[in-house]
Amino acid sequence: MKKIINIKTILKNYAASLLVHLLLFLIISIIIQVAPDDESMRSPYLQVTTGMFTKEAPAAEEEAVKAEEEKPDKQPDQEKPDESVSYFYSPEDKNIDTTGLRNLYSEKTLDVRIKYPDGWTFIDQNVKKKLDGVTFWGMADIYDPPPYIHLEVKEKYLFNPSRYKYSEEYEDYSIYYNDPEETAGQYAQVIYIRTNSSEDYSLKLIMKGKDSFRTFQPLFFGMLKTFKFGKKSLF
């Protein structure tokens, strides 16, 4: 009778143990299936940090786009006034003075007369016994090279007013001219003199150095004002 009781007890204990292990296995299986993956197993700190960057990045981009849109449109480059042009004189400036022009050049073929400064000299050129041009230059011991002014007789049919930027009406003629031009540090300006006679003329100043050229412009325009031609023209 004792043996039978022991076998039943053993079987009962075995069954209970088996049941416990089975339940434990089922519980572990359920836990494994419902457990979160590796991504969700991160620490709370990492989760919060990731969430912050995920939300702030689009906001930062929106702010950058908004700031870019609010920027004023770039204005096209505007042409700046040419300061070098305004630096020089023009024939109409009020400070043009002829008091320093005490010498008189005069010739008979075209009855051309023009005054020039003290201390200057000149040389004229004739073609077929008729005036073709005359060159005046300053003192070489002061300026190197010296300034010079050239008066030239022009063929009327070659005149083209579209080549000139400015024009002025005088009593006996009209003048046409452009702003001074610079080449390798040498400045030059030409005044075209349009007349009602058979010849036109041009008066040209050439001088090295910007400041020196400007210094001689009043003298140059003064000579222009003393220019006469034809038998009816008298000083």
Side-chain angles (χ1 to χ4, degrees), residues 91-92 168-175 177 221 224-225:
E92 296 305 304
E168 302 288 344
E169 295 289 335
Y170 282 53
E171 182 178 355
D172 297 323
Y173 50 81
S174 301
I175 64 169
Y177 61 99
F221 296 136
L224 174 67
K225 288 185 176 182

Side-chain angles (χ1 to χ4, degrees), residues 4-46:
I4 294 172
I5 292 173
N6 289 337
I7 291 172
K8 286 182 178 181
T9 301
I10 293 172
L11 290 174
K12 189 182 290 185
N13 291 338
Y14 178 77
S17 177
L18 182 62
L19 181 60
V20 170
H21 283 82
L22 181 60
L23 289 174
L24 183 61
F25 175 77
L26 291 173
I27 292 171
I28 293 173
S29 298
I30 293 171
I31 292 173
I32 292 175
Q33 290 179 2
V34 299
D37 57 11
D38 291 340
E39 293 292 332
S40 61
M41 291 298 290
R42 294 174 181 172
S43 67
Y45 175 79
L46 290 176

Side-chain angles (χ1 to χ4, degrees), residues 1-154:
M1 187 69 180
K2 289 182 181 180
K3 284 185 178 179
I4 294 172
I5 292 173
N6 289 337
I7 291 172
K8 286 182 178 181
T9 301
I10 293 172
L11 290 174
K12 189 182 290 185
N13 291 338
Y14 178 77
S17 177
L18 182 62
L19 181 60
V20 170
H21 283 82
L22 181 60
L23 289 174
L24 183 61
F25 175 77
L26 291 173
I27 292 171
I28 293 173
S29 298
I30 293 171
I31 292 173
I32 292 175
Q33 290 179 2
V34 299
D37 57 11
D38 291 340
E39 293 292 332
S40 61
M41 291 298 290
R42 294 174 181 172
S43 67
Y45 175 79
L46 290 176
Q47 290 179 7
V48 172
T49 305
T50 304
M52 290 175 61
F53 278 95
T54 303
K55 292 180 180 179
E56 290 184 0
E61 291 179 0
E62 291 177 3
E63 290 294 331
V65 171
K66 184 177 179 181
E68 187 67 26
E69 291 176 351
E70 291 178 353
K71 285 183 179 179
D73 295 336
K74 291 183 178 180
Q75 297 294 331
D77 294 337
Q78 297 179 351
E79 292 186 2
K80 296 182 179 179
D82 191 345
E83 296 179 356
S84 63
V85 172
S86 61
Y87 172 84
F88 295 110
Y89 293 109
S90 76
E92 296 305 304
D93 284 332
K94 295 180 180 180
N95 59 350
I96 304 304
D97 189 7
T98 60
T99 56
L101 305 174
R102 297 185 178 90
N103 295 327
L104 175 64
Y105 169 82
S106 177
E107 66 87 40
K108 296 181 179 180
T109 62
L110 296 177
D111 292 309
V112 167
R113 281 148 291 172
I114 189 170
K115 289 185 177 181
Y116 63 96
D118 286 341
W120 283 44
T121 188
F122 70 88
I123 183 170
D124 50 10
Q125 306 89 36
N126 294 327
V127 175
K128 296 180 180 180
K129 298 181 179 181
K130 186 178 179 180
L131 179 67
D132 184 62
V134 54
T135 301
F136 306 88
W137 67 90
M139 293 170 285
D141 56 337
I142 299 178
Y143 301 98
D144 185 23
Y148 72 88
I149 294 173
H150 181 67
L151 174 67
E152 183 179 357
V153 180
K154 309 294 290 188

Side-chain angles (χ1 to χ4, degrees), residues 155-172:
E155 296 287 350
K156 294 183 73 71
Y157 70 91
L158 296 176
F159 173 67
N160 183 0
S162 64
R163 296 173 55 188
Y164 300 94
K165 185 176 180 180
Y166 311 104
S167 64
E168 302 288 344
E169 295 289 335
Y170 282 53
E171 182 178 355
D172 297 323

Side-chain angles (χ1 to χ4, degrees), residues 183-215:
T183 303
Q186 183 169 274
Y187 288 78
Q189 187 171 29
V190 178
I191 306 293
Y192 190 95
I193 305 171
R194 184 71 169 171
T195 75
N196 292 322
S197 67
S198 57
E199 292 85 17
D200 286 346
Y201 302 88
S202 69
L203 194 65
K204 181 177 183 179
L205 168 64
I206 299 178
M207 181 70 188
K208 184 177 181 180
K210 182 178 179 180
D211 293 337
S212 297
F213 179 87
R214 184 176 184 271
T215 300

